Amino acid sequence: MTPLPDCYCPADGTRVPAGTLAWCCPLCRGPLDLDFAPTPAPLKSLTGRVNSLWRYAETLPLASPTTTLGEGRTPFVELRDGISAKLDFLMPTLSFKDRGAVLLAELALRLAPEQVIADSSGNAGTAIAAYCARARLPCTVYVPEGTSVKKLEQIQAHGAHVNLVEGDRAATAAAAREAADAPGTFYASHVHNPYFLHGTKTYVHELWEDMGGLLPDVIVVPVGNGTLLLGAALAVAELHSAGLIDRRPALYAVQAATVAPLAHAWAEGAADLTRTTPPPATPTLAEGIAIPDPPRARQILRAVRESGGTFLTVTEDQLRHAQLDLASQGLYVESTGVACWAAVREGALGARTAVVPLCGAGLKTGLAPASPA
Protein backbone atom coordinates (compact mmCIF):
# COMPACT_ATOMS: atom_id res chain seq x y z
CA MET A 1 0.00 0.00 0.00
CA THR A 2 1.32 3.46 -0.95
CA PRO A 3 2.49 5.41 2.12
CA LEU A 4 0.27 8.28 3.19
CA PRO A 5 1.70 11.80 2.81
CA ASP A 6 2.30 13.97 5.86
CA CYS A 7 0.09 16.96 6.67
CA TYR A 8 1.17 20.47 7.55
CA CYS A 9 -0.44 23.68 8.79
CA PRO A 10 -0.60 26.32 6.02
CA ALA A 11 -0.65 29.07 8.67
CA ASP A 12 2.46 28.25 10.69
CA GLY A 13 4.13 25.30 8.93
CA THR A 14 3.69 22.80 11.77
CA ARG A 15 3.95 19.26 10.43
CA VAL A 16 1.62 16.40 11.38
CA PRO A 17 2.92 12.90 10.56
CA ALA A 18 0.81 10.61 8.41
CA GLY A 19 -1.09 7.81 10.07
CA THR A 20 -2.39 9.72 13.09
CA LEU A 21 -5.93 10.76 13.99
CA ALA A 22 -4.89 14.40 14.38
CA TRP A 23 -7.43 16.59 12.60
CA CYS A 24 -5.96 20.07 13.08
CA CYS A 25 -2.73 21.94 13.73
CA PRO A 26 -1.65 21.18 17.32
CA LEU A 27 -0.54 24.80 17.77
CA CYS A 28 -3.20 27.00 16.16
CA ARG A 29 -6.03 24.44 15.79
CA GLY A 30 -6.37 25.45 12.17
CA PRO A 31 -7.05 23.21 9.14
CA LEU A 32 -4.31 21.13 7.53
CA ASP A 33 -2.94 20.71 4.01
CA LEU A 34 -1.21 17.71 2.44
CA ASP A 35 2.47 17.56 1.56
CA PHE A 36 1.55 16.16 -1.83
CA ALA A 37 2.35 17.47 -5.32
CA PRO A 38 1.08 15.00 -7.92
CA THR A 39 1.49 15.07 -11.68
CA PRO A 40 -1.75 14.34 -13.58
CA ALA A 41 -1.75 11.92 -16.50
CA PRO A 42 -2.01 13.17 -20.11
CA LEU A 43 -5.46 13.17 -21.68
CA LYS A 44 -4.81 10.26 -24.05
CA SER A 45 -3.77 7.96 -21.21
CA LEU A 46 -7.22 8.22 -19.58
CA THR A 47 -8.90 6.20 -22.31
CA GLY A 48 -10.27 2.92 -21.04
CA ARG A 49 -9.84 3.74 -17.34
CA VAL A 50 -12.52 3.21 -14.69
CA ASN A 51 -15.44 5.59 -15.23
CA SER A 52 -15.27 7.34 -11.88
CA LEU A 53 -13.11 9.98 -10.21
CA TRP A 54 -10.59 7.23 -9.50
CA ARG A 55 -9.51 7.41 -13.15
CA TYR A 56 -7.33 10.34 -12.03
CA ALA A 57 -5.33 8.04 -9.74
CA GLU A 58 -2.05 9.89 -10.22
CA THR A 59 -3.54 12.98 -8.56
CA LEU A 60 -5.05 11.25 -5.50
CA PRO A 61 -3.28 10.63 -2.17
CA LEU A 62 -4.95 7.21 -1.79
CA ALA A 63 -5.12 4.25 -4.15
CA SER A 64 -7.03 0.96 -4.53
CA PRO A 65 -10.38 2.15 -3.13
CA THR A 66 -12.74 -0.30 -1.47
CA THR A 67 -15.58 2.08 -0.56
CA THR A 68 -16.25 3.53 -4.00
CA LEU A 69 -19.84 3.90 -5.22
CA GLY A 70 -18.82 4.93 -8.72
CA GLU A 71 -18.71 8.62 -7.77
CA GLY A 72 -17.63 11.20 -10.30
CA ARG A 73 -17.77 11.51 -14.08
CA THR A 74 -21.06 13.40 -13.86
CA PRO A 75 -22.73 14.78 -17.01
CA PHE A 76 -21.51 18.01 -18.57
CA VAL A 77 -24.24 19.97 -20.38
CA GLU A 78 -24.63 23.37 -22.02
CA LEU A 79 -27.06 25.83 -20.49
CA ARG A 80 -26.86 28.98 -22.62
CA ASP A 81 -24.66 31.89 -23.72
CA GLY A 82 -21.37 30.04 -23.34
CA ILE A 83 -22.21 28.74 -19.86
CA SER A 84 -22.23 25.00 -19.21
CA ALA A 85 -23.07 23.01 -16.09
CA LYS A 86 -21.56 20.02 -14.35
CA LEU A 87 -24.38 17.92 -12.93
CA ASP A 88 -22.86 16.90 -9.63
CA PHE A 89 -26.32 16.49 -8.11
CA LEU A 90 -26.34 13.13 -9.92
CA MET A 91 -23.75 11.64 -7.55
CA PRO A 92 -24.61 8.59 -5.40
CA THR A 93 -25.88 10.69 -2.45
CA LEU A 94 -27.13 13.47 -4.75
CA SER A 95 -24.43 16.07 -4.05
CA PHE A 96 -20.84 16.91 -4.98
CA LYS A 97 -19.74 16.13 -1.41
CA ASP A 98 -19.32 12.47 -2.43
CA ARG A 99 -16.06 13.48 -4.12
CA GLY A 100 -14.43 14.28 -0.80
CA ALA A 101 -16.39 11.87 1.39
CA VAL A 102 -15.07 8.80 -0.39
CA LEU A 103 -11.48 9.85 0.32
CA LEU A 104 -12.26 10.49 3.98
CA ALA A 105 -13.86 7.04 4.30
CA GLU A 106 -10.86 5.43 2.60
CA LEU A 107 -8.51 7.25 4.95
CA ALA A 108 -10.57 6.23 7.99
CA LEU A 109 -10.39 2.59 6.91
CA ARG A 110 -6.61 2.76 6.89
CA LEU A 111 -6.47 4.46 10.31
CA ALA A 112 -9.04 2.08 11.90
CA PRO A 113 -10.66 4.48 14.42
CA GLU A 114 -13.19 3.46 17.04
CA GLN A 115 -15.69 5.98 15.69
CA VAL A 116 -16.15 8.55 12.92
CA ILE A 117 -17.81 11.92 13.48
CA ALA A 118 -18.70 14.72 11.10
CA ASP A 119 -20.54 18.04 11.18
CA SER A 120 -22.66 19.36 8.38
CA SER A 121 -25.66 21.40 7.31
CA GLY A 122 -26.80 18.30 5.45
CA ASN A 123 -25.04 17.25 2.26
CA ALA A 124 -21.56 16.56 3.65
CA GLY A 125 -23.08 14.66 6.56
CA THR A 126 -25.14 12.56 4.19
CA ALA A 127 -22.11 11.75 2.07
CA ILE A 128 -19.96 10.84 5.10
CA ALA A 129 -22.78 8.67 6.47
CA ALA A 130 -23.17 6.84 3.16
CA TYR A 131 -19.49 6.10 2.68
CA CYS A 132 -19.05 5.10 6.32
CA ALA A 133 -21.93 2.67 5.81
CA ARG A 134 -20.13 1.31 2.76
CA ALA A 135 -16.94 0.96 4.83
CA ARG A 136 -18.77 -0.52 7.85
CA LEU A 137 -17.57 2.31 10.09
CA PRO A 138 -19.71 3.67 12.97
CA CYS A 139 -20.63 7.28 12.28
CA THR A 140 -22.18 10.22 14.13
CA VAL A 141 -23.16 13.40 12.28
CA TYR A 142 -23.64 16.72 14.08
CA VAL A 143 -26.20 18.95 12.36
CA PRO A 144 -27.75 22.31 13.28
CA GLU A 145 -31.39 22.61 14.26
CA GLY A 146 -33.39 23.63 11.24
CA THR A 147 -31.57 21.24 8.88
CA SER A 148 -33.85 19.99 6.10
CA VAL A 149 -35.96 17.05 7.27
CA LYS A 150 -35.21 15.27 4.01
CA LYS A 151 -31.47 15.55 4.61
CA LEU A 152 -31.87 14.23 8.15
CA GLU A 153 -33.83 11.25 6.83
CA GLN A 154 -31.10 10.50 4.31
CA ILE A 155 -28.34 10.62 6.96
CA GLN A 156 -30.28 8.30 9.27
CA ALA A 157 -31.17 5.93 6.46
CA HIS A 158 -27.46 5.20 6.04
CA GLY A 159 -27.30 4.11 9.68
CA ALA A 160 -25.53 7.15 11.11
CA HIS A 161 -26.47 8.62 14.46
CA VAL A 162 -27.69 12.23 14.21
CA ASN A 163 -26.70 14.67 16.94
CA LEU A 164 -28.96 17.72 16.58
CA VAL A 165 -27.25 20.86 17.90
CA GLU A 166 -29.11 23.90 19.16
CA GLY A 167 -27.90 26.97 17.33
CA ASP A 168 -26.39 27.69 13.94
CA ARG A 169 -23.78 26.06 11.74
CA ALA A 170 -20.93 27.55 13.79
CA ALA A 171 -22.31 26.05 17.01
CA THR A 172 -22.58 22.70 15.29
CA ALA A 173 -18.96 22.79 14.16
CA ALA A 174 -17.82 23.75 17.66
CA ALA A 175 -19.68 20.79 19.20
CA ALA A 176 -18.19 18.37 16.68
CA ARG A 177 -14.65 19.67 17.19
CA GLU A 178 -14.95 19.17 20.94
CA ALA A 179 -16.03 15.57 20.35
CA ALA A 180 -13.26 15.09 17.80
CA ASP A 181 -10.60 15.29 20.50
CA ALA A 182 -11.80 12.08 22.16
CA PRO A 183 -9.31 9.19 21.81
CA GLY A 184 -9.93 6.82 18.93
CA THR A 185 -12.03 9.35 17.01
CA PHE A 186 -11.63 10.13 13.32
CA TYR A 187 -13.01 13.57 12.54
CA ALA A 188 -14.27 13.36 8.97
CA SER A 189 -14.18 17.11 8.57
CA HIS A 190 -14.82 18.37 5.06
CA VAL A 191 -13.23 21.64 6.19
CA HIS A 192 -10.16 20.67 8.23
CA ASN A 193 -9.14 17.41 6.57
CA PRO A 194 -7.18 18.04 3.34
CA TYR A 195 -8.14 14.68 1.85
CA PHE A 196 -11.58 16.14 1.23
CA LEU A 197 -10.08 18.91 -0.91
CA HIS A 198 -8.16 16.37 -2.96
CA GLY A 199 -11.44 14.60 -3.62
CA THR A 200 -13.27 17.74 -4.68
CA LYS A 201 -10.49 18.73 -7.06
CA THR A 202 -11.52 15.87 -9.36
CA TYR A 203 -14.40 18.14 -10.40
CA VAL A 204 -11.90 20.23 -12.40
CA HIS A 205 -9.96 17.22 -13.70
CA GLU A 206 -13.27 16.01 -15.13
CA LEU A 207 -13.99 19.41 -16.67
CA TRP A 208 -10.59 19.32 -18.32
CA GLU A 209 -11.33 15.90 -19.77
CA ASP A 210 -14.92 16.85 -20.71
CA MET A 211 -13.59 19.84 -22.66
CA GLY A 212 -10.93 17.86 -24.51
CA GLY A 213 -7.93 19.09 -22.56
CA LEU A 214 -9.13 22.67 -22.06
CA LEU A 215 -10.75 24.67 -19.27
CA PRO A 216 -13.26 27.54 -19.56
CA ASP A 217 -12.39 31.19 -19.07
CA VAL A 218 -14.17 31.17 -15.71
CA ILE A 219 -15.01 28.46 -13.18
CA VAL A 220 -17.87 29.63 -10.96
CA VAL A 221 -18.26 27.93 -7.57
CA PRO A 222 -20.48 28.41 -4.52
CA VAL A 223 -18.48 29.22 -1.40
CA GLY A 224 -19.32 28.62 2.24
CA ASN A 225 -16.39 26.71 3.70
CA GLY A 226 -14.77 26.87 0.27
CA THR A 227 -13.95 23.20 -0.24
CA LEU A 228 -14.97 23.08 -3.90
CA LEU A 229 -13.14 26.31 -4.70
CA LEU A 230 -9.94 25.22 -2.97
CA GLY A 231 -10.14 21.84 -4.66
CA ALA A 232 -10.57 23.60 -8.00
CA ALA A 233 -7.49 25.71 -7.29
CA LEU A 234 -5.49 22.56 -6.52
CA ALA A 235 -6.50 20.90 -9.79
CA VAL A 236 -5.82 24.00 -11.88
CA ALA A 237 -2.34 24.28 -10.36
CA GLU A 238 -1.64 20.58 -11.04
CA LEU A 239 -2.75 20.78 -14.66
CA HIS A 240 -0.82 23.99 -15.28
CA SER A 241 2.38 22.74 -13.62
CA ALA A 242 2.25 19.59 -15.74
CA GLY A 243 1.91 21.66 -18.92
CA LEU A 244 -1.54 20.22 -19.63
CA ILE A 245 -3.16 23.68 -19.80
CA ASP A 246 -1.48 26.88 -20.94
CA ARG A 247 -3.60 29.34 -18.95
CA ARG A 248 -5.44 29.29 -15.65
CA PRO A 249 -9.16 30.09 -15.53
CA ALA A 250 -10.46 32.77 -13.18
CA LEU A 251 -12.25 31.48 -10.09
CA TYR A 252 -15.52 33.28 -9.32
CA ALA A 253 -16.82 32.66 -5.81
CA VAL A 254 -20.55 33.00 -5.10
CA GLN A 255 -22.11 33.68 -1.70
CA ALA A 256 -25.64 34.39 -0.53
CA ALA A 257 -26.02 38.13 0.07
CA THR A 258 -27.38 37.49 3.57
CA VAL A 259 -24.35 35.40 4.65
CA ALA A 260 -21.37 36.76 2.74
CA PRO A 261 -18.36 37.21 5.07
CA LEU A 262 -15.84 36.45 2.34
CA ALA A 263 -17.48 38.72 -0.19
CA HIS A 264 -17.40 41.55 2.37
CA ALA A 265 -13.73 40.88 3.14
CA TRP A 266 -13.00 40.87 -0.60
CA ALA A 267 -14.78 44.20 -1.10
CA GLU A 268 -12.68 45.73 1.70
CA GLY A 269 -9.45 44.37 0.23
CA ALA A 270 -8.82 42.21 3.30
CA ALA A 271 -6.58 39.14 3.27
CA ASP A 272 -8.61 37.45 6.01
CA LEU A 273 -11.83 37.86 7.94
CA THR A 274 -10.02 39.37 10.93
CA ARG A 275 -9.71 42.72 9.18
CA THR A 276 -13.38 43.11 8.35
CA THR A 277 -16.68 43.12 10.18
CA PRO A 278 -19.48 41.87 7.90
CA PRO A 279 -23.09 42.63 8.79
CA PRO A 280 -24.89 40.02 10.91
CA ALA A 281 -25.97 36.92 9.00
CA THR A 282 -29.66 36.29 8.42
CA PRO A 283 -31.40 33.11 7.19
CA THR A 284 -30.91 32.15 3.55
CA LEU A 285 -32.30 29.58 1.16
CA ALA A 286 -28.68 28.67 0.38
CA GLU A 287 -28.20 26.91 3.72
CA GLY A 288 -25.27 24.88 2.45
CA ILE A 289 -23.07 27.98 2.06
CA ALA A 290 -24.32 29.92 5.10
CA ILE A 291 -20.96 29.84 6.89
CA PRO A 292 -20.22 33.03 8.89
CA ASP A 293 -16.61 32.19 9.82
CA PRO A 294 -14.96 29.75 7.37
CA PRO A 295 -11.69 28.34 8.82
CA ARG A 296 -9.93 28.48 5.44
CA ALA A 297 -10.94 32.09 4.74
CA ARG A 298 -7.38 33.30 4.09
CA GLN A 299 -6.73 30.47 1.63
CA ILE A 300 -10.01 31.09 -0.19
CA LEU A 301 -9.39 34.82 -0.60
CA ARG A 302 -5.85 34.18 -1.81
CA ALA A 303 -6.96 31.53 -4.32
CA VAL A 304 -9.56 33.83 -5.87
CA ARG A 305 -7.12 36.74 -5.99
CA GLU A 306 -4.31 34.73 -7.56
CA SER A 307 -6.66 33.37 -10.24
CA GLY A 308 -7.78 36.83 -11.32
CA GLY A 309 -11.31 36.06 -10.14
CA THR A 310 -13.79 37.83 -7.91
CA PHE A 311 -16.72 37.36 -5.54
CA LEU A 312 -20.38 37.60 -6.48
CA THR A 313 -23.43 37.61 -4.19
CA VAL A 314 -27.01 36.58 -4.89
CA THR A 315 -30.29 37.59 -3.28
CA GLU A 316 -33.02 35.26 -2.08
CA ASP A 317 -35.21 36.23 -5.04
CA GLN A 318 -32.38 35.47 -7.44
CA LEU A 319 -32.05 32.01 -5.87
CA ARG A 320 -35.77 31.35 -6.27
CA HIS A 321 -35.82 32.47 -9.88
CA ALA A 322 -32.69 30.49 -10.76
CA GLN A 323 -34.11 27.31 -9.26
CA LEU A 324 -37.28 27.65 -11.35
CA ASP A 325 -35.27 28.55 -14.44
CA LEU A 326 -33.16 25.40 -14.15
CA ALA A 327 -36.25 23.30 -13.46
CA SER A 328 -37.75 24.66 -16.69
CA GLN A 329 -34.66 23.28 -18.45
CA GLY A 330 -35.13 19.83 -16.90
CA LEU A 331 -32.71 20.27 -13.99
CA TYR A 332 -34.18 20.07 -10.48
CA VAL A 333 -31.52 21.45 -8.16
CA GLU A 334 -31.64 22.43 -4.48
CA SER A 335 -31.64 26.10 -3.56
CA THR A 336 -27.98 26.13 -2.49
CA GLY A 337 -26.94 24.34 -5.67
CA VAL A 338 -28.46 26.99 -7.94
CA ALA A 339 -26.42 29.86 -6.44
CA CYS A 340 -23.86 29.96 -9.24
CA TRP A 341 -26.48 29.95 -11.96
CA ALA A 342 -28.31 32.72 -10.09
CA ALA A 343 -25.11 34.79 -10.15
CA VAL A 344 -24.32 34.50 -13.86
CA ARG A 345 -27.49 33.67 -15.78
CA GLU A 346 -28.24 37.30 -16.61
CA GLY A 347 -24.94 38.06 -18.30
CA ALA A 348 -22.58 38.87 -15.43
CA LEU A 349 -19.68 37.20 -17.29
CA GLY A 350 -20.05 38.96 -20.62
CA ALA A 351 -18.80 36.90 -23.56
CA ARG A 352 -16.52 34.63 -21.53
CA THR A 353 -17.06 30.88 -21.35
CA ALA A 354 -17.86 29.47 -17.92
CA VAL A 355 -18.88 26.34 -16.05
CA VAL A 356 -21.15 26.25 -13.02
CA PRO A 357 -21.60 23.26 -10.70
CA LEU A 358 -25.11 22.11 -9.89
CA CYS A 359 -24.15 20.69 -6.53
CA GLY A 360 -27.24 19.16 -4.90
CA ALA A 361 -30.54 17.62 -5.98
CA GLY A 362 -33.81 19.48 -5.53
CA LEU A 363 -35.27 16.45 -3.77
CA LYS A 364 -33.12 17.32 -0.75
CA THR A 365 -34.97 20.56 0.02
CA GLY A 366 -37.86 20.97 -2.40
CA LEU A 367 -38.68 24.20 -4.23
CA ALA A 368 -37.85 27.44 -2.48
CA PRO A 369 -41.02 29.10 -1.15
CA ALA A 370 -42.25 32.21 -2.91
CA SER A 371 -41.23 35.48 -1.32
CA PRO A 372 -43.92 37.30 0.70
CA ALA A 373 -45.96 39.78 -1.27
Side-chain angles (χ1 to χ4, degrees), residues 46 49-56 70-76 86-88 90-91 99 202 205-210:
L46 300 177
R49 292 192 181 190
V50 61
N51 193 36
S52 73
L53 64 80
W54 295 96
R55 70 197 279 111
Y56 311 106
E71 55 286 330
R73 298 297 295 143
T74 52
F76 178 69
K86 187 80 165 142
L87 309 191
D88 262 22
L90 298 180
M91 297 283 257
R99 294 185 183 276
T202 58
H205 285 289
E206 289 180 22
L207 287 184
W208 172 74
E209 186 177 2
D210 291 335

Side-chain angles (χ1 to χ4, degrees), residues 67 105 109 130-137:
T67 61
L109 271 180
Y131 284 94
C132 280
R134 184 76 167 174
R136 300 293 187 264
L137 292 167

Side-chain angles (χ1 to χ4, degrees), residues 185-336:
T185 299
F186 178 83
Y187 183 22
S189 172
H190 59 291
V191 182
H192 282 75
N193 195 307
Y195 281 80
F196 195 92
L197 303 182
H198 284 269
T200 63
K201 76 181 180 185
T202 58
Y203 168 81
V204 168
H205 285 289
E206 289 180 22
L207 287 184
W208 172 74
E209 186 177 2
D210 291 335
M211 298 181 68
L214 301 173
L215 286 175
D217 299 326
V218 178
I219 296 175
V220 190
V221 288
V223 172
N225 277 309
T227 54
L228 184 55
L229 184 138
L230 291 174
L234 280 172
V236 168
E238 290 169 3
L239 291 166
H240 190 264
S241 294
L244 296 174
I245 55 172
D246 57 11
R247 59 169 182 80
R248 302 187 186 213
L251 299 177
Y252 276 44
V254 179
Q255 296 206 287
T258 58
V259 190
L262 291 162
H264 287 290
W266 178 267
E268 294 184 11
D272 204 344
L273 297 186
T274 56
R275 286 178 49 199
T276 183
T277 305
T282 55
T284 175
L285 295 168
E287 62 180 11
I289 54 173
I291 309 297
D293 188 18
R296 293 186 184 268
R298 178 177 289 273
Q299 289 177 278
I300 296 165
L301 291 163
R302 184 174 65 246
V304 173
R305 187 172 293 110
E306 290 178 351
S307 77
T310 192
F311 277 80
L312 304 172
T313 60
V314 291
T315 66
E316 301 302 289
D317 278 344
Q318 285 178 308
L319 289 168
R320 293 185 184 94
H321 295 155
Q323 188 180 38
L324 291 173
D325 184 19
L326 286 171
S328 74
Q329 299 182 58
L331 302 168
Y332 188 33
V333 183
E334 68 171 333
S335 48
T336 297

Side-chain angles (χ1 to χ4, degrees), residues 14 67 85 101 122 137 151 172 213 226 290 294 309 322 330 339 347 352:
T14 301
T67 61
L137 292 167
K151 291 180 179 179
T172 303
R352 286 174 292 180

